[in-house]
Amino acid sequence: EFHCILKVQLPNWLHVRDSISVWKRSKVCEMVFAGEEDEDDDGDETIEYKYIPPEEILPTNLAAPCMSHLLPKQTVDVGTMEAPSSLKKEQNKKRKHTSTNPKDPPNTIIESVKQKIKKFRKRSDEDE
């Protein structure tokens, strides 16, 4: 009937792992599957499920820091709709190599845009 929307570790001793969590009542939704008409008894089947809005879903991919490299890199934090900090660092490194500073000569900007288009095309070709 409830879903967790926040879980935070509390300051504590090394041997204790206390945390505080915030829970929100889930909206209960029903789905009715109509039975066949030729059946004599009531063939309708009703199933209830809880609806959790996407912005309230906690991430399912969790890893200890020593195993974080095994997590998918394309994951996005649904709550903030931002990429994880490790992915942001990689993106920032790539941006440093291709500058689009207005003070740069126009040829440099054009070349960096061309490189980005080529990379985008390669990724889209690989996805197909």
Side-chain angles (χ1 to χ4, degrees):
E1 303 301 327
F2 295 88
H3 61 277
C4 184
I5 58 174
L6 176 69
K7 186 174 181 180
V8 179
Q9 182 177 354
L10 296 173
N12 48 38
W13 297 100
L14 294 175
H15 65 284
V16 181
R17 299 280 182 226
D18 291 334
S19 63
I20 187 168
S21 58
V22 178
W23 294 74
K24 186 175 180 181
R25 185 179 302 275
S26 302
K27 181 179 178 183
V28 177
C29 298
E30 290 185 352
M31 289 192 318
V32 178
F33 296 99
E36 296 181 18
E37 291 180 17
D38 56 338
E39 291 182 9
D40 292 335
D41 60 346
D42 188 20
D44 293 348
E45 181 181 357
T46 303
I47 297 177
E48 290 185 347
Y49 68 97
K50 61 181 181 180
Y51 172 73
I52 302 172
E55 63 273 3
E56 295 178 4
I57 297 174
L58 292 178
T60 54
N61 294 335
L62 300 174
C66 63
M67 294 293 185
S68 63
H69 65 281
L70 298 174
L71 291 176
K73 293 186 180 181
Q74 288 79 16
T75 57
V76 173
D77 182 8
V78 177
T80 61
M81 296 307 289
E82 292 183 1
S85 59
S86 59
L87 185 58
K88 287 181 185 177
K89 288 178 186 175
E90 288 179 23
Q91 291 171 347
N92 288 337
K93 286 180 186 176
K94 290 178 184 177
R95 286 185 191 135
K96 289 178 184 175
H97 296 299
T98 57
S99 173
T100 55
N101 188 346
K103 295 179 183 178
D104 288 345
N107 291 338
T108 308
I109 296 172
I110 292 171
E111 289 301 317
S112 67
V113 170
K114 285 181 181 179
Q115 289 175 356
K116 289 179 183 179
I117 291 171
K118 287 179 183 178
K119 288 180 182 179
F120 176 77
R121 287 182 179 162
K122 284 182 182 178
R123 287 182 189 159
S124 62
D125 291 341
E126 290 173 359
D127 292 340
E128 293 174 359

